[in-house]
Amino acid sequence: AAALYFKDEFGQSTESAAAIASIFGWMNLFARGLGGFASDKANAKMGMRGRIWVQTIFLALEGALVLVFAQTGSLGAAIAVMVFFSLNVQAAEGATYGIVPYVDPASTGSISGIVGAGGNTGAVCFGLGFRQLSYEKAFNIMGYSILASALMSVFINIKGHAGLFWGKDDVVQKATLTVPAQEEEIEA
Protein backbone atom coordinates (compact mmCIF):
# COMPACT_ATOMS: atom_id res chain seq x y z
CA ALA A 1 0.00 0.00 0.00
CA ALA A 2 2.83 2.44 0.80
CA ALA A 3 4.44 2.09 -2.63
CA LEU A 4 1.10 2.68 -4.35
CA TYR A 5 0.50 5.68 -2.11
CA PHE A 6 3.79 7.30 -3.12
CA LYS A 7 3.11 6.48 -6.77
CA ASP A 8 -0.47 7.74 -6.81
CA GLU A 9 -0.21 10.72 -4.47
CA PHE A 10 3.20 12.08 -5.40
CA GLY A 11 3.60 10.91 -9.02
CA GLN A 12 6.61 8.72 -8.34
CA SER A 13 7.66 5.96 -10.74
CA THR A 14 6.99 2.42 -9.54
CA GLU A 15 10.70 1.92 -8.81
CA SER A 16 11.05 5.20 -6.93
CA ALA A 17 7.86 4.61 -4.94
CA ALA A 18 9.01 1.10 -4.00
CA ALA A 19 12.42 2.40 -2.91
CA ILE A 20 10.81 5.08 -0.74
CA ALA A 21 8.34 2.59 0.78
CA SER A 22 11.19 0.17 1.55
CA ILE A 23 12.51 2.66 4.11
CA PHE A 24 9.68 1.46 6.34
CA GLY A 25 11.10 -2.07 6.36
CA TRP A 26 14.70 -0.95 6.73
CA MET A 27 13.82 0.72 10.02
CA ASN A 28 13.21 -2.78 11.36
CA LEU A 29 16.97 -3.40 11.40
CA PHE A 30 17.34 -1.44 14.62
CA ALA A 31 14.02 0.02 15.75
CA ARG A 32 12.47 -3.22 17.03
CA GLY A 33 15.55 -3.80 19.14
CA LEU A 34 15.32 -0.20 20.34
CA GLY A 35 11.78 -0.87 21.58
CA GLY A 36 12.91 -3.98 23.43
CA PHE A 37 15.86 -2.10 24.92
CA ALA A 38 13.60 0.75 26.09
CA SER A 39 11.22 -1.84 27.57
CA ASP A 40 14.07 -3.50 29.48
CA LYS A 41 15.33 -0.16 30.83
CA ALA A 42 11.83 0.87 31.94
CA ASN A 43 11.35 -2.55 33.55
CA ALA A 44 14.55 -2.07 35.55
CA LYS A 45 13.20 1.23 36.93
CA MET A 46 9.45 0.64 37.19
CA GLY A 47 8.83 -3.09 36.75
CA MET A 48 6.03 -4.21 34.45
CA ARG A 49 4.42 -0.77 34.69
CA GLY A 50 7.49 0.60 32.90
CA ARG A 51 7.23 -1.96 30.11
CA ILE A 52 3.56 -1.16 29.57
CA TRP A 53 4.24 2.60 29.58
CA VAL A 54 6.92 2.19 26.92
CA GLN A 55 4.57 0.16 24.74
CA THR A 56 1.76 2.70 25.26
CA ILE A 57 3.97 5.66 24.39
CA PHE A 58 5.29 4.03 21.21
CA LEU A 59 1.74 3.08 20.18
CA ALA A 60 0.43 6.60 20.83
CA LEU A 61 3.25 8.15 18.82
CA GLU A 62 2.68 5.61 16.05
CA GLY A 63 -1.04 6.43 15.87
CA ALA A 64 -0.46 10.20 15.95
CA LEU A 65 2.20 10.03 13.25
CA VAL A 66 0.06 7.98 10.86
CA LEU A 67 -2.63 10.67 11.23
CA VAL A 68 -0.02 13.32 10.38
CA PHE A 69 1.19 11.18 7.47
CA ALA A 70 -2.35 11.13 6.05
CA GLN A 71 -2.28 14.93 5.89
CA THR A 72 1.17 15.49 4.38
CA GLY A 73 1.12 17.33 1.10
CA SER A 74 4.76 17.10 0.02
CA LEU A 75 6.95 14.13 -0.78
CA GLY A 76 9.74 15.24 1.57
CA ALA A 77 7.37 15.67 4.51
CA ALA A 78 5.71 12.34 3.77
CA ILE A 79 9.08 10.54 3.79
CA ALA A 80 10.18 12.25 7.01
CA VAL A 81 6.92 11.43 8.79
CA MET A 82 7.05 7.85 7.47
CA VAL A 83 10.54 7.38 8.92
CA PHE A 84 9.39 8.44 12.40
CA PHE A 85 6.12 6.52 12.05
CA SER A 86 8.05 3.39 11.11
CA LEU A 87 10.47 3.89 13.99
CA ASN A 88 7.54 3.88 16.40
CA VAL A 89 5.82 0.92 14.71
CA GLN A 90 8.91 -1.26 15.03
CA ALA A 91 9.74 0.00 18.54
CA ALA A 92 6.18 -0.76 19.69
CA GLU A 93 6.63 -4.29 18.36
CA GLY A 94 9.88 -4.67 20.29
CA ALA A 95 8.21 -3.34 23.44
CA THR A 96 5.33 -5.78 22.95
CA TYR A 97 7.70 -8.72 22.73
CA GLY A 98 9.29 -7.44 25.95
CA ILE A 99 5.94 -8.05 27.68
CA VAL A 100 5.12 -11.42 26.07
CA PRO A 101 7.26 -13.67 28.33
CA TYR A 102 5.39 -12.43 31.42
CA VAL A 103 1.89 -13.19 30.17
CA ASP A 104 2.23 -16.94 30.77
CA PRO A 105 5.87 -18.01 31.15
CA ALA A 106 5.07 -21.66 30.44
CA SER A 107 3.45 -20.72 27.10
CA THR A 108 5.79 -18.02 25.83
CA GLY A 109 6.21 -19.65 22.42
CA SER A 110 2.47 -19.95 21.86
CA ILE A 111 1.83 -16.39 22.98
CA SER A 112 4.61 -15.08 20.75
CA GLY A 113 2.99 -16.90 17.85
CA ILE A 114 -0.42 -15.41 18.64
CA VAL A 115 1.07 -11.90 18.88
CA GLY A 116 2.85 -12.36 15.55
CA ALA A 117 -0.30 -13.73 13.91
CA GLY A 118 -2.25 -10.76 15.25
CA GLY A 119 0.19 -8.40 13.57
CA ASN A 120 -0.15 -10.23 10.28
CA THR A 121 -3.95 -10.19 10.57
CA GLY A 122 -3.90 -6.45 11.14
CA ALA A 123 -1.68 -5.96 8.09
CA VAL A 124 -4.09 -7.94 5.92
CA CYS A 125 -7.12 -6.04 7.24
CA PHE A 126 -5.53 -2.65 6.65
CA GLY A 127 -4.34 -3.82 3.23
CA LEU A 128 -7.94 -4.60 2.33
CA GLY A 129 -8.98 -1.21 3.70
CA PHE A 130 -6.55 0.53 1.38
CA ARG A 131 -8.15 -1.26 -1.58
CA GLN A 132 -11.65 -0.09 -0.68
CA LEU A 133 -11.09 3.41 0.73
CA SER A 134 -9.27 6.60 -0.16
CA TYR A 135 -5.73 6.78 1.18
CA GLU A 136 -6.59 9.55 3.62
CA LYS A 137 -9.60 7.70 5.03
CA ALA A 138 -7.67 4.42 5.31
CA PHE A 139 -4.75 6.13 7.09
CA ASN A 140 -7.17 7.91 9.42
CA ILE A 141 -8.87 4.63 10.33
CA MET A 142 -5.45 3.08 10.91
CA GLY A 143 -4.28 6.00 13.07
CA TYR A 144 -7.39 6.08 15.24
CA SER A 145 -7.29 2.27 15.62
CA ILE A 146 -3.69 2.48 16.83
CA LEU A 147 -4.54 5.29 19.25
CA ALA A 148 -7.44 3.18 20.57
CA SER A 149 -5.08 0.25 21.14
CA ALA A 150 -2.73 2.58 23.03
CA LEU A 151 -5.63 3.66 25.25
CA MET A 152 -6.54 0.02 25.84
CA SER A 153 -3.12 -0.50 27.41
CA VAL A 154 -4.76 0.78 30.60
CA PHE A 155 -6.53 -2.58 30.81
CA ILE A 156 -3.43 -4.78 30.50
CA ASN A 157 -3.42 -6.89 33.63
CA ILE A 158 -0.78 -9.59 33.96
CA LYS A 159 -0.98 -11.78 37.05
CA GLY A 160 1.70 -10.85 39.55
CA HIS A 161 2.59 -7.58 37.81
CA ALA A 162 1.54 -3.94 37.97
CA GLY A 163 -0.64 -2.35 35.33
CA LEU A 164 -0.36 1.23 34.11
CA PHE A 165 -2.23 2.80 37.02
CA TRP A 166 -2.87 0.13 39.62
CA GLY A 167 -1.40 -2.96 41.19
CA LYS A 168 2.15 -3.78 42.03
CA ASP A 169 4.75 -6.25 40.95
CA ASP A 170 5.10 -9.25 43.23
CA VAL A 171 8.63 -9.53 44.52
CA VAL A 172 10.10 -12.77 43.29
CA GLN A 173 13.31 -14.13 44.71
CA LYS A 174 15.49 -15.14 41.82
CA ALA A 175 17.36 -18.39 42.14
CA THR A 176 21.12 -18.05 42.31
CA LEU A 177 23.68 -20.51 41.15
CA THR A 178 26.15 -21.51 43.82
CA VAL A 179 29.49 -22.75 42.58
CA PRO A 180 31.22 -25.10 45.01
CA ALA A 181 34.71 -24.22 46.17
CA GLN A 182 37.41 -25.81 44.05
CA GLU A 183 38.97 -28.81 45.67
CA GLU A 184 42.72 -29.12 45.69
CA GLU A 185 44.06 -31.60 43.23
CA ILE A 186 45.25 -34.83 44.73
CA GLU A 187 48.65 -35.78 43.40
CA ALA A 188 49.23 -39.46 42.90
Side-chain angles (χ1 to χ4, degrees):
L4 287 175
Y5 173 75
F6 285 109
K7 184 175 186 276
D8 295 345
E9 295 295 312
F10 298 108
Q12 298 298 299
S13 67
T14 302
E15 295 80 12
S16 176
I20 293 167
S22 73
I23 295 169
F24 190 92
W26 285 102
M27 297 298 288
N28 220 357
L29 291 175
F30 74 93
R32 191 175 292 186
L34 178 69
F37 178 77
S39 179
D40 290 345
K41 288 297 182 186
N43 181 58
K45 290 185 180 191
M46 300 172 60
M48 182 57 67
R49 180 170 287 136
R51 287 192 188 276
I52 297 171
W53 268 114
V54 166
Q55 180 193 40
T56 303
I57 291 166
F58 282 133
L59 283 171
L61 289 170
E62 174 187 339
L65 285 167
V66 78
L67 292 173
V68 170
F69 183 76
Q71 305 302 318
T72 56
S74 73
L75 178 62
I79 292 171
V81 172
M82 184 188 67
V83 166
F84 289 104
F85 164 62
S86 178
L87 176 89
N88 285 283
V89 169
Q90 316 308 338
E93 291 170 0
T96 299
Y97 282 103
I99 295 169
V100 164
Y102 298 91
V103 174
D104 183 2
S107 303
T108 298
S110 297
I111 293 169
S112 294
I114 292 167
V115 168
N120 292 336
T121 302
V124 169
C125 291
F126 283 120
L128 292 173
F130 278 97
R131 289 180 150 186
Q132 306 299 320
L133 304 168
S134 69
Y135 289 119
E136 185 176 351
K137 187 167 187 163
F139 281 127
N140 283 332
I141 290 170
M142 179 188 291
Y144 289 119
S145 297
I146 296 165
L147 287 173
S149 71
L151 289 174
M152 290 173 49
S153 296
V154 169
F155 302 109
I156 295 175
N157 185 23
I158 300 171
K159 184 179 178 184
H161 299 283
L164 274 182
F165 299 115
W166 56 80
K168 62 180 184 167
D169 290 328
D170 292 341
V171 178
V172 178
Q173 292 292 347
K174 294 182 180 179
T176 57
L177 177 64
T178 306
V179 179
Q182 188 175 12
E183 295 180 25
E184 293 181 10
E185 291 183 1
I186 301 174
E187 293 183 29

